[in-house]
Amino acid sequence: MKILVVGGGGREHALGWALARHGHTLHFSSDNPAFAALGVVEVGDPLERARAIQPDLVVIGPEAPLAAGLVDQLDALSIPAFGPTRAAARLETSKVWSKEFMLRHGLPTARAQVIAAGQPLPTMDDGVVKVDGLAAGKGVWVCSDAAEVRRAVAEAARMQPEGRILLEERLEGPEVSVLAISDGTRIVPLPCARDHKRRFDGDRGPNTGGMGAVAPVVIPEREECVEILQRAVTAMAHEGTPFRGVLFGGFMLTQKGPKLLEFNARFGDPECQVLMALLEEDLAPWLVGAARGRLPGPSLKTRVGHACCVVVTGEGYPERSADAAITALPADAADLVVFHSGTRRVGEALRAVGGRVLGVTGLGPSAETARERAYAGVREVVFAGASWRTDIGASGWGSAG
Ligand code: GLY
């Protein structure tokens, strides 16, 4: 199959890596030094690239092109695209719309209120503050007291001056990422994963795009979470905006059962890295099936075992991007893959240039062996300021958000 992958981060490297293993001809419209080994890289507007290449499928990694309506534009050209339309992507692209959707359909979630910037703030001793629109992983603040809530609301108003702000009740419990491929009617779930969003060990420090992930995470609430995702897909179809693509539910496993923290309309990053590492069968027929409105079977085959992805960043992340020569990397092996998120080739040299630079992903028969393999790989990475959490896959479940 001829496939165009849109997006240039670690998630798209993982998608390309998984598809290339099954012999597909890959094209990429963004730059990432790792893509050259997987297919043809021609940087440009994805719609123009698709028009020129006429692929059998376009796989869209990031949320921004979904928000911009790339799937609608590809539909108009009759080019199959994996990802939701602009209207369906509102599950992620508008936090306010998404919350109203959850409440409209009785999907379990935190209580919330919406305020416009400048409107008086209700009294809140703690809570979660979210900007309405996309914010590249930076628009959520988990606040422990009233002063933090006030500061977060001020920051949210600075970030999106015209936007609305969502104020949510703070939920307590372990957090889990449940992703399912949807054809607009039916879903097929992937193994549950766990992201580690806080910057520092022990779930301390600012929220980030994700400092590492593990899968599978075995939880008794899995079926309940999957059923909530299925209800969401059914409700989207009833509202006339069927959701085709990957629906990602961020759940808090509270004492009163799983509650939705948010929806995302794309693969998580770094969840995608561990999920792709665990896939046994070819993903392409599933992505095409989702795009065409008919998934090819009842379940996706994953390999027996565990995966652990440790994200390597520059030391100033998330405030500053890395800028350093990478002088050593571990070699990929059957039980280790290094996914590139923020690297650039300058002549012969490879540089760390992003916030999140690499996702070093280990595989093993147990969670512990996968974790050990990933950290052995991480210790072979050399660039000035290279930094990572040391407790990916090892920390307790306690988190809040
Ligand atoms: N890892 C969380 C996200 O992709 O939004």
Side-chain angles (χ1 to χ4, degrees):
M1 223 183 270
K2 198 198 306 178
I3 302 174
L4 171 64
V5 178
V6 175
R11 166 183 43 212
E12 292 76 30
H13 182 188
L15 288 166
W17 175 83
L19 292 164
R21 286 169 67 203
H22 292 275
H24 299 292
T25 304
L26 299 186
H27 292 256
F28 298 90
S29 58
S30 296
D31 203 9
N32 178 324
F35 289 170
L38 302 175
V40 181
V41 184
E42 276 184 80
V43 178
D45 174 63
L47 186 63
E48 291 313 314
R49 296 302 312 134
R51 240 196 265 270
I53 297 164
Q54 290 292 316
D56 302 303
L57 176 69
V58 180
V59 178
I60 299 157
E63 57 277 23
L66 300 172
L70 179 58
V71 172
D72 309 65
Q73 294 166 320
L74 291 164
D75 280 351
L77 297 175
S78 301
I79 298 175
F82 178 76
T85 59
R86 184 178 175 168
R90 279 179 300 173
L91 281 178
E92 170 165 6
T93 59
S94 168
K95 295 277 178 274
V96 171
W97 190 91
S98 185
K99 177 63 76 171
E100 288 169 351
F101 171 86
M102 292 176 204
L103 296 174
R104 198 157 61 241
H105 295 285
L107 304 177
T109 186
R111 288 192 302 269
Q113 17 184 348
V114 179
I115 59 167
Q119 207 175 307
L121 188 60
T123 314
M124 284 178 79
D125 291 336
D126 64 7
V128 180
V129 176
K130 295 180 179 173
V131 296
D132 183 34
L134 292 179
K138 295 199 177 110
V140 177
W141 296 264
V142 180
C143 307
S144 306
D145 57 41
E148 277 188 24
V149 173
R150 277 196 301 279
R151 272 199 300 276
V153 168
E155 184 58 27
R158 251 195 309 278
M159 199 181 267
Q160 293 185 358
E162 306 298 322
R164 293 175 294 174
I165 298 169
L166 194 62
L167 305 174
E168 286 189 353
E169 156 199 28
R170 187 173 171 176
L171 300 174
E172 300 288 343
E175 210 175 310
V176 67
S177 303
V178 187
L179 284 78
I181 298 177
S182 167
D183 62 11
T185 308
R186 196 167 68 78
I187 63 169
V188 169
L190 295 162
C192 295
R194 187 190 179 201
D195 185 13
H196 297 62
K197 288 209 179 76
R198 300 290 191 127
R199 173 65 178 86
F200 300 114
D201 284 10
D203 285 337
R204 291 176 302 106
N207 260 335
T208 69
M211 294 297 296
V214 291
V217 172
V218 180
I219 49 164
E221 298 90 341
R222 178 167 191 257
E223 284 316 308
E224 219 178 320
C225 295
V226 169
E227 193 208 306
I228 292 167
L229 295 185
Q230 179 62 66
R231 281 170 58 200
V233 165
T234 303
M236 287 296 281
H238 282 153
E239 291 199 358
T241 48
F243 186 97
R244 298 196 187 97
V246 63
L247 183 59
F248 165 170
F251 286 93
M252 190 70 93
L253 305 179
T254 74
Q255 291 193 333
K256 292 185 181 157
K259 293 200 180 190
L260 279 163
L261 296 171
E262 63 178 4
F263 282 123
N264 291 310
R266 36 108 196 144
F267 281 101
D269 186 341
E271 286 93 334
C272 189
Q273 285 83 323
V274 283
L275 293 174
M276 292 304 113
L278 286 176
L279 268 191
E280 179 91 58
E281 67 176 293
D282 185 3
L283 188 62
W286 294 88
L287 304 186
V288 171
R292 295 218 166 109
R294 195 174 171 82
L295 289 174
S299 60
L300 236 166
K301 207 180 286 168
T302 50
R303 64 167 95 176
V304 179
H306 291 254
C308 173
C309 172
V310 179
V311 170
V312 180
T313 71
E315 65 188 351
Y317 180 71
E319 281 81 27
R320 287 191 312 280
S321 286
D323 184 18
I326 299 176
T327 53
L329 281 182
D332 281 2
D335 58 358
L336 188 81
V337 201
V338 180
F339 293 118
H340 289 233
S341 303
T343 65
R344 185 181 303 149
R345 187 132 335 253
V346 182
E348 287 300 296
L350 190 65
R351 288 193 76 77
V353 291
R356 293 184 291 174
V357 176
L358 300 163
V360 182
T361 305
L363 282 158
S366 66
E368 197 46 42
T369 50
R371 180 169 188 272
E372 278 166 12
R373 190 64 189 98
Y375 276 105
V378 164
R379 285 190 291 274
E380 289 184 53
V381 173
V382 182
F383 66 86
S387 174
W388 56 85
R389 273 181 64 159
T390 65
D391 62 350
I392 302 303
S395 58
W397 274 98
S399 63

